[in-house]
Structures are given as C-alpha cells and as structure tokens.
C-alpha cells in the first residue's frame, strides 16, 4: 500500500488508496481546479475517484471506535472527473448510520469543462460503528462518486484549561478588536465552542491554540504584539481586514506554516 504524504501534501496528511469489490476506480490526467486550493488533497489523490457499479449500489465506507464518546471530523472531496453526457445525471444522498447528512449532491459537469472541486464536512459521535453511505437518488442515471475523504479523531481536552499564555493573548486580541463577537469562556474547552475561527490541539495534554482565522472580521488599526504570544499557531489568517504596523511578532511564531 503506497502512502502519499509530504512532499505531495504540504501539511503531511497521510493518503492511501482503499477499494472494495463493488467499487470501480477511475482516474483523470486533467488538472482539477479548486476555489480553495490551500487545503486541497494532492493532485495524485483528487484526480482519482471511486464509483459503484450501478445506481442501485451505495458507495459505503465504515470505521469503528473504541468508545461512543469519541468524536470524528470527516471531510469529503467530490468532483466529477468523467466526461458525462448531457443526458446523464449523477446525483446522490450522503448519510452516516442511516442519518441523512446531505441530499441531492450533484458534482456537476466534468472538471474537464471547468468544474472546481467541492468538499463537504460533518462530525460524528455517539456510536462505536460508523457506516457512511453515498446512495444514488431515484432520478440519477449514474452511480455515486467520491474522490477522497479525510477522517480525524477530535481529541478531548477533558476539562483541562487552555494554556494560560494563549488565554492571555487571545483575550488581549478580543479586547483590542471589539468587533470580535461571541468569544467567551475558555477558548479550547468543548462546552465553550462559541469561539468561532479558532481551533486547538493538545500538547502534553494541555490545549493550545493552533489555528486562528479572523479573515474579513472588520479588524482595524495596528496589529498588536499579542498575536506573537500565540506561540503554538500553525495557521493565521488576518486577510480582508484594515490592519497596519509591524510584523515583528511573526518571529515568535516558530510553528507557523500558513499566513
């Protein structure tokens, strides 16, 4: 089994091929466009797809968990890589454990004609067995299609408070740019998930703020140095605001890979 990771994927995500007897594997040499290329799968991954042999057969993927309290985050990458006829339709519903998540998904015309990649995401918890199913609708003439998917287990902070330095820094940012709404409580504790645009990761069992997206948030004025105190940041997005001043704080963000 070949694993594709860095340098194919700049974030060193691990990708590999899976297939089942009821699947058909397909591939295109054409470039697959995207409206959000930053977190795209590698080209060698998104240029492939799995399909079922008929519209009657669902495209099923399953995984298991040791505990029903475990929470998963799933990302599906879907783009039409076949040059289908104008009289054909590929349309399908997506469910997980018989709960419909997305209805009437239509990848559209072939990416050869200019379709950009699309992606969908959802969270799943409460079970120890998960069955994700892509099922063609009654009017679909083509079977379901899936290019790739990402599966993550969301770590639980178990009530451990966020790193005190991160809390001090993020509260300083909150107070300085008062247009930031809904930020209350501990930023990394699951019960306080009002902190939109912010994601955390456990380091030595202590939650650290690793991703901060304040794009187009109406921030104005000087960039304060408190951003530099979020020393575990991997991704920082301040685009679409009216900010000015020194970027010297970036020297402190040694883990930063996306700006």
């Amino acid at each position: 089994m070949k694993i594709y990771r860095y340098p194919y994927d700049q974030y060193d995500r691990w990708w590999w091929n899976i297939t089942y007897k009821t699947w058909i594997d397909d591939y295109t040499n054409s470039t697959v466009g995207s409206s959000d290329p930053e977190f795209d799968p590698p080209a060698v991954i998104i240029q492939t797809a799995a399909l079922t042999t008929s519209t009657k057969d669902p495209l099923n993927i399953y995984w298991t968990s040791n505990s029903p309290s475990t929470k998963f985050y799933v990302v599906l990458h879907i783009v039409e890589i076949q040059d289908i006829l104008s009289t054909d339709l590929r349309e399908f519903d997506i469910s997980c454990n018989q709960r419909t998540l997305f209805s009437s998904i239509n990848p559209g015309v072939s990416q050869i004609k200019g379709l950009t990649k699309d992606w969908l995401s959802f969270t799943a918890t409460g079970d120890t067995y998960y069955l994700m199913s892509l099922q063609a609708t009654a009017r679909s003439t083509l079977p379901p299609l899936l290019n790739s998917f990402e599966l993550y287990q969301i770590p639980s902070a178990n009530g451990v408070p966020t790193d005190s330095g991160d809390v001090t820094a993020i509260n300083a940012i909150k107070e300085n740019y008062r247009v930031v709404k809904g930020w209350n409580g501990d930023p990394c504790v699951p019960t306080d998930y009002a902190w939109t645009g912010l994601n955390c990761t456990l380091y030595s069992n202590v939650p650290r703020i690793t991703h901060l997206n304040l794009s187009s948030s109406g921030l104005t004025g000087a960039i304060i140095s408190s951003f530099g105190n979020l020393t575990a940041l991997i991704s920082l997005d301040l685009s679409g605001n009216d900010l000015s001043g020194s970027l010297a704080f970036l020297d402190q963000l040694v883990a930063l890979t996306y700006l």
Side-chain angles (χ1 to χ4, degrees):
M1 178 180 65
K2 182 175 177 59
I3 295 177
Y4 293 91
R5 47 182 301 192
Y6 188 84
Y8 293 96
D9 189 312
Q10 62 175 325
Y11 298 107
D12 200 26
R13 293 170 294 184
W14 291 37
W15 303 88
W16 61 88
N17 181 64
I18 61 173
T19 189
Y20 297 100
K21 293 180 180 178
T22 58
W23 290 9
I24 299 173
D25 296 330
D26 202 359
Y27 176 80
T28 179
N29 287 316
S30 300
T31 300
V32 178
S34 174
S35 57
D36 184 21
E38 184 61 35
F39 294 103
D40 270 359
V44 69
I45 301 299
I46 201 63
Q47 289 173 320
T48 65
L51 308 91
T52 54
T53 55
S54 76
T55 57
K56 296 180 181 180
D57 297 324
L59 196 158
N60 291 331
I61 297 172
Y62 75 91
W63 67 93
T64 60
S65 171
N66 292 327
S67 170
S69 63
T70 301
K71 191 173 185 179
F72 294 95
Y73 180 63
V74 186
V75 183
L76 310 178
H77 298 277
I78 301 169
V79 61
E80 183 63 74
I81 66 170
Q82 295 183 329
D83 201 9
I84 64 178
L85 300 174
S86 59
T87 53
D88 279 328
L89 172 67
R90 193 188 308 280
E91 185 181 80
F92 51 89
D93 301 330
I94 302 175
S95 64
C96 185
N97 286 4
Q98 299 183 329
R99 179 171 65 93
T100 300
L101 302 172
F102 307 99
S103 300
S104 303
I105 299 299
N106 181 352
V109 298
S110 169
Q111 56 82 28
I112 298 171
K113 299 177 182 177
L115 179 74
T116 55
K117 180 193 67 66
D118 197 8
W119 60 274
L120 303 165
S121 65
F122 66 92
T123 57
T125 190
D127 295 292
T128 56
Y129 177 86
Y130 296 89
L131 177 64
M132 181 175 66
S133 183
L134 283 64
Q135 176 67 64
T137 63
R139 66 173 189 162
S140 182
T141 61
L142 298 172
L145 171 150
L146 180 65
N147 304 86
S148 61
F149 75 99
E150 304 174 56
L151 178 65
Y152 300 97
Q153 180 177 321
I154 302 176
S156 173
N158 294 322
V160 177
T162 302
D163 176 81
S164 59
D166 284 3
V167 172
T168 300
I170 202 68
N171 280 325
I173 294 168
K174 171 187 173 182
E175 292 303 315
N176 190 79
Y177 306 108
R178 295 186 179 274
V179 291
V180 178
K181 305 295 185 183
W183 282 9
N184 297 291
D186 190 309
C188 295
V189 173
T191 55
D192 294 323
Y193 271 169
W195 293 73
T196 56
L198 182 154
N199 289 314
C200 302
T201 303
L202 288 176
Y203 287 98
S204 299
N205 215 33
V206 175
R208 299 296 308 274
I209 298 172
T210 52
H211 297 79
L212 183 59
N213 184 353
L214 292 175
S215 61
S216 302
S217 296
L219 309 188
T220 61
I223 301 178
I224 62 174
S225 59
S226 296
F227 285 105
N229 295 329
L230 297 171
T231 53
L233 274 184
I234 296 172
S235 171
L236 175 62
D237 191 343
L238 298 175
S239 61
N241 296 295
D242 187 14
L243 296 169
S244 60
S246 172
L247 297 178
F249 71 89
L250 292 176
D251 292 339
Q252 299 170 248
L253 305 181
V254 295
L256 195 70
T257 60
Y258 175 75
L259 177 64

